[in-house]
Amino acid sequence: MKGKSNISNKNSKQKFSTNNTNIKHSNTHNDNIKEKNSFYPIWEKIYLIKKDNIENEYIDNEYLSNFFRFSKSIHIKNYLYIFPLFKSNNKYAIIDLSKNFLYFHDMPYQCFHPIYSSKYFFSIFLFHLDSNYKSDNRYNIVEFDIKNNSFNILNTKGVSPKARKNFCSFFYLNKIYSFGGIPQMLIDNSMNYIYSFNIKENEWKIEETNFINDKEYININNYISNNFDSSLVQFDDKNIFYSIGGKYLNDSIYSEINTMGIENNLKFKENDDIIKITIKDNGMIELINVGKNNKNKFGNPCSFFYKENIYIYNKDDIYCFNCKNYEINILQKIMFAPEFEEKGNIFIYEKYIYLFGKFKYYEDCYLFRTKLDIINLKNKESYKTNFENLLNNNINKSKNNI
């Protein structure tokens, strides 16, 4: 039975005073933030117009900051669908990028990690955990109907993965694949596998994998599943995906988690690997580490694919990874972008690159954008020179003001 998304929240706060509210705080820009703004000359701040479409509900900037800080988005045409990674009053948001309108909606379930494939479906699929629904804390699947804004829990069979967060998932043909993450319970063998969910059959299964290993110390059985917070990108709508960076656990940390709990453990290590994931015709999943020459660590990246390159945003740096020769170059001097709090989102809409999430030093802006032309590698040196000249001018102005 489908649950409509227009369910109102009974524990509501005060209403909006106006229907359209610009999300902008004039008192948040102190001198330090103004100085930091000058460091991002190629990025444009996008202010959202908030639409009051939830009855008896007040959503202030503090709520927005927490919501966007812990969320994951799916970009479909001119809409950005945003789902919280943690419990947040069971709401999801939609941004109309053509008008910069922000809408909030209620959803009847707490869902995580949206998956979407425009090639095959008109729905977004989300992982769902309901301890009342399954006694062993395993994930279920919820289908979100984009047209009707409605949710439906699917009746699944097979063995689904146990509860975890910060995992990776991707869509190919009729299957959703998931791996890695941080366990919400004690470590067990379920972390060592890649799971798939067949949309047509509504069935979970554990996939066979073949890891072509060039690192002797890596455990073939659980290497890919040891990873979390990595960024996953599909190569040109084909059967090839790349898992980029993230963090990983080792056996000694596993034992600590069992005794002291996951939230108290701060010994995760950042990853420098780039794993090529290929779905073979026979269904076998082949894993190859193609980042063996990479000297950069991508602890909390987000990325997108464009013209045979993957652009990786990590902290405030942007890198370009060539999917043909596996070379990687830093574009920091070109892009020099604002930094996320937690993990952000990056995507392309029309001729712009968008950064979306909660940014450090900003409490009134959740979208930045810049033109795609700026990432043209042929102009790297000229952009670098122009940027350095601009930066030096800003520094000289600051000294003169002092």
Side-chain angles (χ1 to χ4, degrees):
M1 180 178 180
K2 292 190 175 183
K4 297 294 182 181
S5 64
N6 57 356
I7 299 174
S8 61
N9 191 341
K10 294 182 180 180
N11 298 324
S12 60
K13 300 179 182 179
Q14 55 185 326
K15 290 185 179 181
F16 285 128
S17 58
T18 59
N19 287 334
N20 300 338
T21 307
N22 229 357
I23 305 174
K24 187 173 181 179
H25 282 185
S26 59
N27 61 347
T28 60
H29 290 287
N30 55 30
D31 292 338
N32 292 331
I33 293 178
K34 286 181 180 178
E35 180 180 350
K36 206 156 187 70
N37 281 345
S38 66
F39 285 4
Y40 312 133
I42 67 173
W43 290 93
E44 176 188 0
K45 295 170 67 176
I46 305 298
Y47 289 106
L48 300 173
I49 301 172
K50 185 168 48 179
K51 292 290 188 177
D52 181 11
N53 60 310
I54 298 181
E55 183 180 357
N56 295 326
E57 189 67 23
Y58 179 78
I59 298 176
D60 58 11
N61 219 69
E62 181 179 357
Y63 179 96
L64 291 171
S65 294
N66 289 326
F67 185 91
F68 292 143
R69 183 182 178 188
F70 302 107
S71 64
K72 191 170 183 179
S73 64
I74 292 289
H75 176 220
I76 305 174
K77 296 182 179 180
N78 62 305
Y79 293 102
L80 191 68
Y81 293 83
I82 307 150
F83 297 90
L85 296 181
F86 300 104
K87 188 171 181 61
S88 182
N89 295 330
N90 284 6
K91 289 181 176 59
Y92 70 99
I94 301 176
I95 296 177
D96 184 343
L97 296 170
S98 65
K99 302 176 181 178
N100 295 332
F101 285 170
L102 170 65
Y103 303 89
F104 268 90
H105 300 272
D106 288 318
M107 58 186 186
Y109 313 111
Q110 181 61 32
C111 301
F112 309 86
H113 293 273
I115 304 295
Y116 175 76
S117 174
S118 58
K119 203 168 184 180
Y120 299 99
F121 299 100
F122 298 96
S123 301
I124 296 175
F125 296 89
L126 306 105
F127 291 84
H128 168 65
L129 173 65
D130 187 344
S131 58
N132 295 324
Y133 186 78
K134 291 195 174 184
S135 59
D136 57 355
N137 289 319
R138 291 182 180 271
Y139 274 130
N140 206 18
I141 293 288
V142 172
E143 181 182 9
F144 172 62
D145 187 313
I146 297 172
K147 183 177 180 181
N148 298 317
N149 278 14
S150 61
F151 295 82
N152 178 36
I153 291 185
L154 303 180
N155 293 320
T156 66
K157 54 187 177 182
V159 180
S160 64
K162 287 193 175 181
R164 62 193 69 183
K165 61 182 181 179
N166 298 44
F167 56 90
C168 257
S169 51
F170 58 97
F171 214 133
Y172 181 65
L173 294 181
N174 297 315
K175 287 185 177 181
I176 297 173
Y177 297 85
S178 65
F179 62 87
I182 303 175
Q184 293 184 340
M185 299 181 65
L186 298 182
I187 302 296
D188 56 42
N189 290 335
S190 68
M191 296 298 295
N192 294 339
Y193 306 109
I194 296 180
Y195 288 81
S196 71
F197 178 75
N198 190 308
I199 297 298
K200 289 188 174 181
E201 303 294 334
N202 282 3
E203 183 175 9
W204 287 98
K205 67 174 289 190
I206 296 174
E207 293 289 340
E208 295 185 20
T209 60
N210 176 25
F211 185 73
I212 300 177
N213 188 14
D214 56 6
K215 289 188 175 181
E216 294 180 358
Y217 62 87
I218 291 176
N219 185 336
I220 296 176
N221 292 327
N222 65 8
Y223 173 72
I224 194 72
S225 298
N226 255 355
N227 208 9
F228 65 95
D229 270 345
S230 59
S231 178
L232 198 129
V233 181
Q234 185 177 13
F235 178 79
D236 200 22
D237 290 329
K238 296 179 180 178
N239 61 327
I240 299 174
F241 301 80
Y242 290 87
S243 174
I244 300 162
K247 308 179 188 74
Y248 64 92
L249 307 168
N250 56 39
D251 292 337
S252 62
I253 295 181
Y254 276 166
S255 61
E256 291 181 21
I257 294 174
N258 279 321
T259 57
M260 63 186 294
I262 189 71
E263 298 299 336
N264 296 323
N265 190 358
L266 301 176
K267 297 182 179 179
F268 304 130
K269 296 182 179 180
E270 291 190 341
N271 203 339
D272 59 356
D273 293 326
I274 299 176
I275 307 299
K276 182 180 180 181
I277 304 171
T278 305
I279 311 296
K280 298 292 187 179
D281 292 338
N282 61 2
M284 175 73 74
I285 301 177
E286 181 182 87
L287 309 171
I288 307 175
N289 183 7
V290 296
K292 57 185 179 181
N293 296 323
N294 174 36
K295 297 180 181 179
N296 306 287
K297 292 184 181 296
F298 307 123
N300 210 10
C302 55
S303 52
F304 67 91
F305 175 83
Y306 180 70
K307 291 186 177 181
E308 298 187 347
N309 292 317
I310 294 175
Y311 295 88
I312 305 166
Y313 184 96
N314 186 67
K315 296 180 180 176
D316 58 352
D317 297 334
I318 293 187
Y319 302 79
C320 178
F321 174 74
N322 189 304
C323 296
K324 284 190 173 181
N325 58 23
Y326 303 145
E327 290 184 357
I328 188 165
N329 295 300
I330 187 170
L331 306 181
Q332 182 181 25
K333 294 299 183 182
I334 301 176
M335 308 303 291
F336 205 66
E339 184 177 353
F340 287 119
E341 289 187 14
E342 304 299 328
K343 188 172 184 177
N345 301 266
I346 188 170
F347 62 93
I348 294 177
Y349 172 59
E350 292 185 340
K351 295 182 178 181
Y352 288 89
I353 302 173
Y354 281 81
L355 295 176
F356 165 74
K358 176 67 177 73
F359 298 93
K360 289 186 177 180
Y361 314 109
Y362 295 93
E363 296 184 1
D364 61 346
C365 179
Y366 307 99
L367 273 176
F368 279 82
R369 73 177 185 180
T370 190
K371 289 184 178 179
L372 271 176
D373 295 341
I374 297 177
I375 66 175
N376 188 342
L377 291 180
K378 293 180 181 179
N379 297 326
K380 180 176 180 180
E381 291 304 318
S382 63
Y383 278 116
K384 179 178 179 180
T385 302
N386 292 337
F387 177 81
E388 288 177 340
N389 290 338
L390 178 61
L391 187 60
N392 290 332
N393 288 336
N394 288 335
I395 294 174
N396 291 333
K397 287 181 181 179
S398 299
K399 290 181 178 178
N400 292 333
N401 290 335
I402 293 174

